[in-house]
Amino acid sequence: MKNLLAVALSALGLHACVAMPDQRYTEADFESVRKLDAHVHANVDSPIFLTIAQQSNFEILSINVDYPDFPAIEVQAEIAERLHLEDRQTFHFATTFPMTGFGSPAWETATIARIDRAIEQGAIAVKVWKNVGMVEKDATGSQIFLNDVRFDGLAVHLTQKGIPLIAHQGEPRNCWLPLDQMTTENDRAYFSTHPEYYMYLHPEEPSYQQLMSARDAFIEKHSDLTVIGAHLASLEWSIDEIGDFLDRYPNATVDMAARMSEIQNQSNQNYEKVRQFFIDYQDRILYGSDLTHNPVSKEMRQQNPPVADDFAAQAESVWRADWRYLATSNSQFVAAILAETKGLNLPRRVIDKIYYDNAVRVFGLADQS
């Protein structure tokens, strides 16, 4: 009726201001909507990740990481470059760097050269991992933090090249809590099997706030550098803290990888507040899953499933569950928080940004097409 009224008024030379409600997607729209998962790890020389992405209308950004439970970063790079060559439109990748020799002029020169070579092969971002701040020490035995002046040359180079830095600094705040006080089952499982990263057991190590402050000081110093705060910038426990972070640093965005359950925990407590957060910061959030396809090995403990033979089915299950939560009002049981959780039912325009448009802008993908 409203559309007929508008047509009638238009025929009379008049204009009607007809308010149309924000349209929503359904679960049936999952495959038809263009999407980009901005945080995965494709560490197996196999087309399976590429195939399931194509089938689900996803582009993916595979992030190389200097992580002991992953293949060597040179192997990760070879796999990423091959998959990128196979389908440049679907498969994107981010490079990384080792910390061996950090602080020497040779380290900075070699690191910049390594990154530039990766960019020539198609890399669209650089990853710095939590080992900076939590593990690595310099030649004097001092802990290395991201705001160390010896990272300045690299930061300036990335800024000049227009290459974003994906920063995984710190850990979920649960990392500093006893197991029985943690808010999610997945954190309990991870830190139980990774005691070296479980800071509650290591009070001699840097505190959560020290790590956040070092990361923030780095971003403030290099304010022209595009920074993606991986895993909701390790502020997953509070949408207020995430919002404050984004307000303070205009060139920063956050990805949601492996932190959806923390958001779901908060939306179960205050649904409208969490929903409004996504609407308010719709230009600053990237969808990411942290799906990891890693070689199966008894020596390698995995951070993020799936890793089994049914990787494709499990990956699709994760993607569809996230879509159900963000795009629809449907409820689902979330094992990580042992609770039924209602979907946020975000408007299409918000979903389109979080799932695709923001990543295209942040990583400069429009310039590559």
Side-chain angles (χ1 to χ4, degrees), residues 106-310:
W107 179 87
E108 180 177 308
T109 300
T111 298
I112 288 175
R114 171 192 289 266
I115 289 170
D116 285 350
R117 285 195 299 272
I119 293 170
E120 290 174 359
Q121 298 302 314
I124 59 173
V126 174
K127 172 71 174 281
V128 59
W129 195 51
K130 64 187 178 186
N131 56 338
V132 174
M134 298 186 73
V135 177
E136 299 291 344
K137 292 179 171 58
D138 64 15
T140 69
S142 299
Q143 201 95 18
I144 302 169
F145 294 95
L146 188 58
N147 63 331
D148 192 305
V149 296
R150 291 170 289 185
F151 280 116
D152 285 354
L154 175 58
V156 169
H157 184 74
L158 294 179
T159 302
Q160 292 173 343
K161 299 275 288 189
I163 300 297
L165 180 71
I166 302 170
H168 177 175
Q169 289 292 281
E171 282 285 50
R173 195 177 65 159
N174 281 338
C175 182
W176 284 265
L177 298 176
L179 289 173
D180 62 358
Q181 293 182 27
M182 291 185 181
T183 54
T184 65
E185 296 300 314
N186 50 321
D187 279 347
R188 265 188 281 273
Y190 176 63
F191 292 116
S192 295
T193 57
H194 292 75
E196 69 273 35
Y197 301 131
Y198 184 19
M199 292 300 101
Y200 178 74
L201 301 179
H202 302 283
E204 74 282 1
E205 296 294 338
S207 69
Y208 172 79
Q209 193 53 55
Q210 278 181 284
L211 294 168
M212 297 299 94
S213 296
R215 187 270 315 282
D216 291 354
F218 171 86
I219 296 175
E220 189 165 346
K221 183 174 186 180
H222 302 285
S223 58
D224 291 334
L225 175 63
T226 297
V227 175
I228 297 93
H231 310 296
L232 292 174
S234 293
L235 300 169
E236 72 297 319
W237 57 279
S238 169
I239 57 171
D240 292 329
E241 291 290 328
I242 301 169
D244 181 62
F245 171 80
L246 294 172
D247 290 343
R248 283 184 285 124
Y249 306 116
N251 275 343
T253 56
V254 295
D255 76 37
M256 304 174 66
R259 300 295 183 269
M260 190 74 78
S261 57
E262 289 282 4
I263 295 296
Q264 291 165 328
N265 187 45
Q266 292 172 75
S267 71
N268 275 358
Q269 298 171 35
N270 193 330
Y271 179 85
E272 291 302 331
K273 180 179 180 180
V274 171
R275 187 173 185 279
Q276 191 60 47
F277 165 79
F278 279 92
I279 293 172
D280 290 344
Y281 292 96
Q282 60 187 269
D283 296 309
R284 313 289 297 282
I285 303 169
L286 310 178
Y287 174 73
S289 66
D290 216 3
L291 286 171
T292 300
H293 193 206
N294 215 39
V296 176
S297 168
K298 293 180 180 179
E299 289 72 37
M300 289 185 179
R301 300 154 306 157
Q302 314 306 330
Q303 176 178 359
N304 299 304
V307 295
D309 292 339
D310 59 347

Side-chain angles (χ1 to χ4, degrees), residues 30 48-49 51-53 55-56 291 293 305-321:
F30 172 77
I48 186 170
F49 217 146
T51 299
I52 62 172
Q55 291 171 345
S56 294
L291 286 171
H293 193 206
V307 295
D309 292 339
D310 59 347
F311 174 80
Q314 293 184 54
E316 183 178 9
S317 176
V318 169
W319 277 338
R320 286 186 178 274

Side-chain angles (χ1 to χ4, degrees), residues 66-101:
D66 189 15
Y67 177 32
D69 286 2
F70 281 3
I73 56 178
E74 291 79 11
V75 175
Q76 294 179 55
E78 290 173 2
I79 292 169
E81 289 169 13
R82 277 198 291 272
L83 291 173
H84 177 65
L85 284 174
E86 187 170 335
D87 187 343
R88 294 174 184 269
Q89 180 61 48
T90 301
F91 192 94
H92 314 286
F93 70 96
T95 188
T96 192
F97 52 86
M99 289 293 293
T100 306

Side-chain angles (χ1 to χ4, degrees), residues 292-355:
T292 300
H293 193 206
N294 215 39
V296 176
S297 168
K298 293 180 180 179
E299 289 72 37
M300 289 185 179
R301 300 154 306 157
Q302 314 306 330
Q303 176 178 359
N304 299 304
V307 295
D309 292 339
D310 59 347
F311 174 80
Q314 293 184 54
E316 183 178 9
S317 176
V318 169
W319 277 338
R320 286 186 178 274
D322 289 348
W323 177 267
R324 184 178 305 122
Y325 175 66
L326 294 171
T328 82
S329 61
N330 297 339
S331 294
Q332 61 187 312
F333 181 77
V334 178
I337 58 175
L338 301 176
E340 195 75 17
T341 303
K342 178 183 176 182
L344 295 179
N345 199 27
L346 296 170
R348 287 190 180 199
R349 58 185 170 81
V350 178
I351 290 295
D352 289 342
K353 290 179 180 180
I354 291 172
Y355 266 95

